């Protein structure tokens, strides 16, 4: 067994503490990764606070992982010691169901194995990237391109793929008008990626305080949703809306911004149910969809796309002792735009 230093939380209202966790010995197809950086995702906060259901504490969150391969199993062919690699939101799946065979492991019919707060095929609880090392089967590891530094690579493993996947699936491109709701960790990545795909990009944020940043990231337009005239002016305007916020919003108001056959895709995951009037969809053959990360193949495609277009998140690097404060700041929308933990500070 491999001992890793970590930061763990013992309950919904508990602070993070120093911990040691055990990582399994390498199987034939396993890769041992020395983690260099781990991003802080809003999902980490929801889970640590017990907002998405029961949690088997103590919990080590973190599914935006960037590091270096330090050891490989005897049958590993995809990676070598010294490779720069990443791990995202899942570390395994059944590999046999229809969705897995299509490369959509995130939708494994038997349930994928999440990077943390899950149970692996050995019956052990999974623990995430707020730690110095992790062992993952090679099929759930991705290669980080050489021109992307490891600190900015980490958030791409969730924020990047979570926004790239729906933009890719619903065809964001030169002939599409795309709106991004919210400009946090997910939102600012959606802007950059949609712009690189050639879409006309509009940001819909509560206020205009981040307007300059939004335009710098590639947005063509920026509107405050706190101003009622925004919804009047943009009625029936968009082909695609990516909703990145993890809070309840007036869904019907946003559906009204879609044109004929337009689609609103939710990637933010509020802790409470959303409500809507189905007439908001029926009237103009609009669609309401959800999207969750991407498969391993699409995640690698996203990394290569970001490398080609020089897309990286804007981050703030913190030490392991600053995780609790970072959580408070995320909840207060006081981060531009992703916290990343320097794991060397463990």
């Amino acid at each position: 067994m491999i001992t890793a230093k970590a930061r763990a939380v013992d309950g919904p209202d508990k602070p993070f503490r120093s911990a040691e966790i055990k990582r399994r010995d390498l199987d034939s197809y396993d890769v041992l990764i020395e983690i260099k950086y781990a991003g802080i995702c809003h999902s980490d906060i929801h889970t640590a606070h017990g907002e998405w259901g029961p949690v088997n504490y103590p919990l080590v969150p973190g599914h935006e992982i960037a590091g270096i391969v330090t050891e490989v199993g005897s049958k590993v062919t995809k990676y070598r010691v010294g490779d720069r690699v990443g791990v995202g939101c899942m570390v395994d799946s059944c590999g046999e169901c229809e969705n897995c065979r299509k490369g959509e492991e995130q939708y494994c019919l038997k349930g994928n194995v999440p990077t943390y707060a899950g149970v692996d095929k050995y019956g052990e609880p999974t623990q995430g990237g707020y730690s110095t090392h992790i062992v993952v089967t090679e099929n759930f590891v991705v290669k980080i391109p050489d021109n992307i530094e490891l600190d900015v690579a980490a958030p791409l493993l969730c924020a990047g793929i979570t926004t790239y996947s729906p933009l890719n699936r619903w065809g964001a491109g030169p002939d599409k008008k795309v709106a991004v709701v919210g400009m946090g960790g997910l939102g600012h990545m959606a802007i950059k990626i949609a712009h690189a795909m050639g879409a006309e990009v509009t940001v819909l944020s509560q206020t205009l305080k981040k307007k300059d940043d939004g335009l710098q990231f590639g947005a063509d337009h920026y509107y405050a949703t706190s101003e009622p005239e925004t919804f009047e002016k943009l009625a029936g305007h968009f082909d695609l809306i990516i909703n990145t916020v993890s809070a309840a919003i007036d869904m019907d108001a946003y559906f009204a911004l879609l044109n004929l056959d337009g689609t609103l895709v939710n990637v933010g995951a509020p802790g409470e149910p959303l409500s809507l009037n189905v007439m908001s969809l029926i009237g103009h053959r609009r669609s309401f969809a959800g999207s969750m990360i991407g498969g391993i193949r699409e995640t690698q495609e996203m990394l290569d796309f970001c490398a080609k277009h020089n897309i990286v998140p804007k981050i703030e690097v913190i030490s392991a002792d600053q995780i609790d404060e970072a959580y408070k700041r995320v909840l207060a929308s006081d981060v531009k735009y992703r916290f990343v933990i320097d794991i060397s500070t463990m």
Side-chain angles (χ1 to χ4, degrees):
M1 300 289 283
I2 300 158
T3 299
K5 295 179 181 179
R7 288 296 189 274
V9 63
D10 294 315
D13 302 313
K14 303 292 185 180
F16 277 88
R17 61 173 175 83
S18 298
E20 287 189 348
I21 58 175
K22 298 295 184 181
R23 297 299 192 184
R24 68 177 183 264
D25 291 329
L26 271 66
D27 258 351
S28 300
Y29 293 99
D30 281 343
V31 174
L32 173 63
I33 300 167
E34 180 182 352
I35 301 173
K36 296 297 186 181
Y37 295 94
I40 292 180
C41 175
H42 210 132
S43 300
D44 300 350
I45 301 174
H46 282 304
T47 307
H49 290 175
E51 295 169 351
W52 284 350
V55 177
N56 182 20
Y57 297 102
L59 172 74
V60 177
H63 58 207
E64 297 181 340
I65 298 169
I68 304 293
V69 174
T70 58
E71 188 178 347
V72 298
S74 61
K75 295 183 180 178
V76 169
T77 60
K78 296 181 178 180
Y79 300 100
R80 297 181 297 178
V81 172
D83 283 352
R84 305 164 73 253
V85 296
V87 177
C89 302
M90 55 185 173
V91 291
D92 209 348
S93 71
C94 80
E96 299 173 351
C97 71
E98 179 181 3
N99 292 349
C100 285
R101 292 198 306 270
K102 289 179 179 177
E104 301 280 8
E105 301 94 344
Q106 73 275 32
Y107 302 122
C108 175
L109 295 176
K110 296 182 180 180
N112 71 63
V113 178
T115 305
Y116 62 84
V119 178
D120 66 21
K121 62 184 178 183
Y122 305 97
E124 297 296 324
T126 58
Q127 302 287 10
Y130 297 8
S131 59
T132 54
H133 297 81
I134 192 169
V135 176
V136 183
T137 180
E138 67 172 338
N139 287 337
F140 283 78
V141 176
V142 290
K143 179 78 167 68
I144 294 176
D146 291 338
N147 66 330
I148 300 180
E149 297 297 329
L150 292 180
D151 56 353
V152 289
L156 296 177
L157 277 303
C158 178
I161 187 57
T162 296
T163 50
Y164 178 89
S165 187
L167 289 167
N168 185 37
R169 176 170 177 76
W170 276 274
D175 59 340
K176 293 291 181 71
K177 295 179 179 178
V178 174
V180 176
V181 182
M183 207 182 85
L186 290 174
H188 91 292
M189 288 306 306
I191 296 164
K192 291 186 174 197
I193 293 170
H195 172 74
M197 289 178 170
E200 179 182 315
V201 184
T202 298
V203 178
L204 301 174
S205 186
Q206 285 186 308
T207 69
L208 298 178
K209 68 179 183 179
K210 298 179 182 177
K211 181 177 180 179
D212 289 345
D213 283 353
L215 297 178
Q216 181 182 357
F217 294 152
D220 299 285
H221 314 286
Y222 199 110
Y223 292 92
T225 57
S226 57
E227 300 174 359
E229 58 267 27
T230 292
F231 291 90
E232 298 171 8
K233 181 175 182 178
L234 298 177
H237 185 74
F238 298 107
D239 301 292
L240 177 63
I241 299 175
I242 305 294
N243 177 24
T244 72
V245 300
S246 293
I249 61 174
D250 184 350
M251 301 306 302
D252 297 306
Y254 286 89
F255 290 144
L257 303 182
L258 292 169
N259 59 20
L260 179 65
D261 291 327
T263 300
L264 188 153
V265 183
N266 235 68
V267 295
E272 64 275 11
L274 300 175
S275 63
L276 61 93
N277 184 340
V278 72
M279 294 303 294
S280 300
L281 299 175
I282 290 174
H284 287 79
R285 206 164 58 203
R286 296 165 174 143
S287 298
F288 182 29
S291 181
M292 182 181 77
I293 57 171
I296 299 302
R297 180 178 59 213
E298 189 177 39
T299 301
Q300 188 65 63
E301 177 185 302
M302 175 275 304
L303 287 169
D304 295 340
F305 179 89
C306 288
K308 178 180 178 180
H309 294 277
N310 297 311
I311 297 172
V312 295
K314 185 175 177 63
I315 65 170
E316 181 176 336
V317 177
I318 64 169
S319 74
D321 292 334
Q322 294 176 293
I323 295 173
D324 289 306
E325 180 61 27
Y327 274 29
K328 293 176 184 177
R329 287 180 57 191
V330 170
L331 294 174
S333 298
D334 179 26
V335 53
K336 291 187 175 181
Y337 283 87
R338 203 66 156 185
F339 284 119
V340 173
I341 305 165
D342 180 352
I343 300 301
S344 70
T345 62
M346 289 282 173

